[in-house]
mmCIF file of all heavy atoms in Angstrom:
data_model
loop_
_atom_site.group_PDB
_atom_site.id
_atom_site.type_symbol
_atom_site.label_atom_id
_atom_site.label_comp_id
_atom_site.label_asym_id
_atom_site.label_seq_id
_atom_site.Cartn_x
_atom_site.Cartn_y
_atom_site.Cartn_z
ATOM 1 N N ASN A 122 -16.771 14.034 16.410
ATOM 2 C CA ASN A 122 -18.190 14.255 16.659
ATOM 3 C C ASN A 122 -18.480 15.732 16.530
ATOM 4 O O ASN A 122 -18.119 16.515 17.411
ATOM 5 C CB ASN A 122 -18.563 13.766 18.055
ATOM 6 C CG ASN A 122 -20.054 13.792 18.282
ATOM 7 O OD1 ASN A 122 -20.840 14.069 17.349
ATOM 8 N ND2 ASN A 122 -20.442 13.600 19.529
ATOM 9 N N VAL A 170 -29.632 4.831 33.360
ATOM 10 C CA VAL A 170 -28.784 6.004 33.133
ATOM 11 C C VAL A 170 -28.357 6.025 31.658
ATOM 12 O O VAL A 170 -27.686 5.148 31.165
ATOM 13 C CB VAL A 170 -27.616 6.039 34.100
ATOM 14 C CG1 VAL A 170 -26.656 7.260 33.737
ATOM 15 C CG2 VAL A 170 -28.078 6.155 35.514
ATOM 16 N N MET A 171 -28.719 7.151 31.003
ATOM 17 C CA MET A 171 -28.358 7.308 29.592
ATOM 18 C C MET A 171 -27.177 8.265 29.448
ATOM 19 O O MET A 171 -26.364 8.104 28.543
ATOM 20 C CB MET A 171 -29.601 7.893 28.942
ATOM 21 C CG MET A 171 -29.432 8.183 27.447
ATOM 22 S SD MET A 171 -30.982 8.839 26.845
ATOM 23 C CE MET A 171 -30.733 8.688 25.103
ATOM 24 N N HIS A 172 -27.095 9.231 30.406
ATOM 25 C CA HIS A 172 -25.971 10.163 30.308
ATOM 26 C C HIS A 172 -25.760 10.819 31.687
ATOM 27 O O HIS A 172 -26.694 11.054 32.497
ATOM 28 C CB HIS A 172 -26.378 11.281 29.330
ATOM 29 C CG HIS A 172 -25.263 12.307 29.103
ATOM 30 N ND1 HIS A 172 -24.161 12.025 28.411
ATOM 31 C CD2 HIS A 172 -25.170 13.632 29.557
ATOM 32 C CE1 HIS A 172 -23.377 13.099 28.411
ATOM 33 N NE2 HIS A 172 -23.968 14.070 29.078
ATOM 34 N N ASN A 189 -25.497 16.742 24.645
ATOM 35 C CA ASN A 189 -25.979 16.472 23.297
ATOM 36 C C ASN A 189 -27.427 15.996 23.375
ATOM 37 O O ASN A 189 -27.793 15.248 24.247
ATOM 38 C CB ASN A 189 -25.123 15.393 22.611
ATOM 39 C CG ASN A 189 -23.743 15.864 22.346
ATOM 40 O OD1 ASN A 189 -23.492 17.058 22.197
ATOM 41 N ND2 ASN A 189 -22.816 14.930 22.207
ATOM 42 N N LYS A 190 -28.234 16.394 22.384
ATOM 43 C CA LYS A 190 -29.648 15.959 22.328
ATOM 44 C C LYS A 190 -29.749 14.507 21.895
ATOM 45 O O LYS A 190 -30.756 13.827 22.161
ATOM 46 C CB LYS A 190 -30.443 16.832 21.351
ATOM 47 C CG LYS A 190 -30.747 18.211 21.884
ATOM 48 C CD LYS A 190 -31.599 19.002 20.894
ATOM 49 C CE LYS A 190 -31.888 20.360 21.375
ATOM 50 N NZ LYS A 190 -32.688 21.105 20.389
ATOM 51 N N PHE A 191 -28.693 13.973 21.290
ATOM 52 C CA PHE A 191 -28.709 12.556 20.936
ATOM 53 C C PHE A 191 -27.509 11.900 21.557
ATOM 54 O O PHE A 191 -26.329 12.290 21.401
ATOM 55 C CB PHE A 191 -28.646 12.431 19.392
ATOM 56 C CG PHE A 191 -29.842 12.922 18.698
ATOM 57 C CD1 PHE A 191 -29.959 14.249 18.275
ATOM 58 C CD2 PHE A 191 -30.929 12.055 18.475
ATOM 59 C CE1 PHE A 191 -31.085 14.680 17.636
ATOM 60 C CE2 PHE A 191 -32.060 12.527 17.837
ATOM 61 C CZ PHE A 191 -32.140 13.848 17.402
ATOM 62 N N ILE A 192 -27.792 10.835 22.336
ATOM 63 C CA ILE A 192 -26.764 10.026 22.990
ATOM 64 C C ILE A 192 -26.830 8.597 22.380
ATOM 65 O O ILE A 192 -27.810 7.957 22.451
ATOM 66 C CB ILE A 192 -27.032 9.983 24.494
ATOM 67 C CG1 ILE A 192 -27.235 11.361 25.115
ATOM 68 C CG2 ILE A 192 -25.888 9.181 25.182
ATOM 69 C CD1 ILE A 192 -26.008 12.227 25.079
ATOM 70 N N ASN A 193 -25.708 8.206 21.792
ATOM 71 C CA ASN A 193 -25.618 6.830 21.192
ATOM 72 C C ASN A 193 -26.778 6.607 20.269
ATOM 73 O O ASN A 193 -27.321 5.532 20.202
ATOM 74 C CB ASN A 193 -25.598 5.760 22.232
ATOM 75 C CG ASN A 193 -24.356 5.876 23.135
ATOM 76 O OD1 ASN A 193 -23.298 6.293 22.683
ATOM 77 N ND2 ASN A 193 -24.505 5.553 24.384
ATOM 78 N N GLY A 194 -27.122 7.646 19.486
ATOM 79 C CA GLY A 194 -28.182 7.507 18.445
ATOM 80 C C GLY A 194 -29.582 7.609 18.975
ATOM 81 O O GLY A 194 -30.590 7.582 18.293
ATOM 82 N N LYS A 195 -29.787 7.757 20.325
ATOM 83 C CA LYS A 195 -31.120 7.897 20.901
ATOM 84 C C LYS A 195 -31.353 9.317 21.318
ATOM 85 O O LYS A 195 -30.441 9.993 21.872
ATOM 86 C CB LYS A 195 -31.236 6.994 22.100
ATOM 87 C CG LYS A 195 -31.193 5.538 21.852
ATOM 88 C CD LYS A 195 -31.442 4.731 23.079
ATOM 89 C CE LYS A 195 -31.385 3.226 22.818
ATOM 90 N NZ LYS A 195 -31.594 2.503 24.034
ATOM 91 N N LYS A 196 -32.561 9.846 21.064
ATOM 92 C CA LYS A 196 -32.936 11.181 21.444
ATOM 93 C C LYS A 196 -33.057 11.254 22.976
ATOM 94 O O LYS A 196 -33.784 10.461 23.572
ATOM 95 C CB LYS A 196 -34.190 11.607 20.767
ATOM 96 C CG LYS A 196 -34.481 13.074 21.007
ATOM 97 C CD LYS A 196 -35.519 13.645 20.133
ATOM 98 C CE LYS A 196 -35.697 15.074 20.551
ATOM 99 N NZ LYS A 196 -36.448 15.840 19.644
ATOM 100 N N LEU A 197 -32.477 12.270 23.528
ATOM 101 C CA LEU A 197 -32.509 12.514 24.984
ATOM 102 C C LEU A 197 -33.828 13.249 25.323
ATOM 103 O O LEU A 197 -34.156 14.189 24.587
ATOM 104 C CB LEU A 197 -31.313 13.365 25.354
ATOM 105 C CG LEU A 197 -31.185 13.723 26.803
ATOM 106 C CD1 LEU A 197 -30.260 12.730 27.501
ATOM 107 C CD2 LEU A 197 -30.669 15.107 27.001
#
Side-chain angles (χ1 to χ4, degrees):
N122 187 10
V170 174
M171 179 180 195
H172 184 72
N189 291 338
K190 286 184 182 177
F191 292 91
I192 307 291
N193 298 325
K195 293 183 181 179
K196 185 167 181 167
L197 180 97

